[in-house]
Amino acid sequence: MSVGDKAKDFVQKAAGHVEEAVGKKTDDAELTAQGQKDKGMSEDRLETERAKEGN
């Protein structure tokens, strides 16, 4: 995984965290779910790459 891909995943995870927090504060279930989905997707990609690299 390139540094650019890792940065992209980190940004997506951070954005998901923000979306989830804003969704909870505004009582927006759809935004909360989207934030959780974004965080999960980026974490899954990072875990897959860690397993490939053997770290």
Side-chain angles (χ1 to χ4, degrees):
M1 178 178 259
S2 72
V3 172
D5 289 338
K6 287 181 182 178
K8 180 180 168 185
D9 286 338
F10 178 77
V11 168
Q12 182 179 13
K13 184 176 179 179
H17 183 73
V18 170
E19 285 177 337
E20 183 180 7
V22 170
K24 286 180 179 179
K25 287 287 184 184
T26 61
D27 206 25
D28 185 341
E30 185 177 333
L31 188 58
T32 301
Q34 183 63 41
Q36 291 171 342
K37 178 183 168 190
D38 286 346
K39 284 188 341 184
M41 287 174 43
S42 66
E43 289 172 0
D44 289 346
R45 278 195 304 271
L46 288 171
E47 287 299 318
T48 300
E49 287 304 317
R50 284 186 193 122
K52 286 181 185 178
E53 293 172 357
N55 293 332

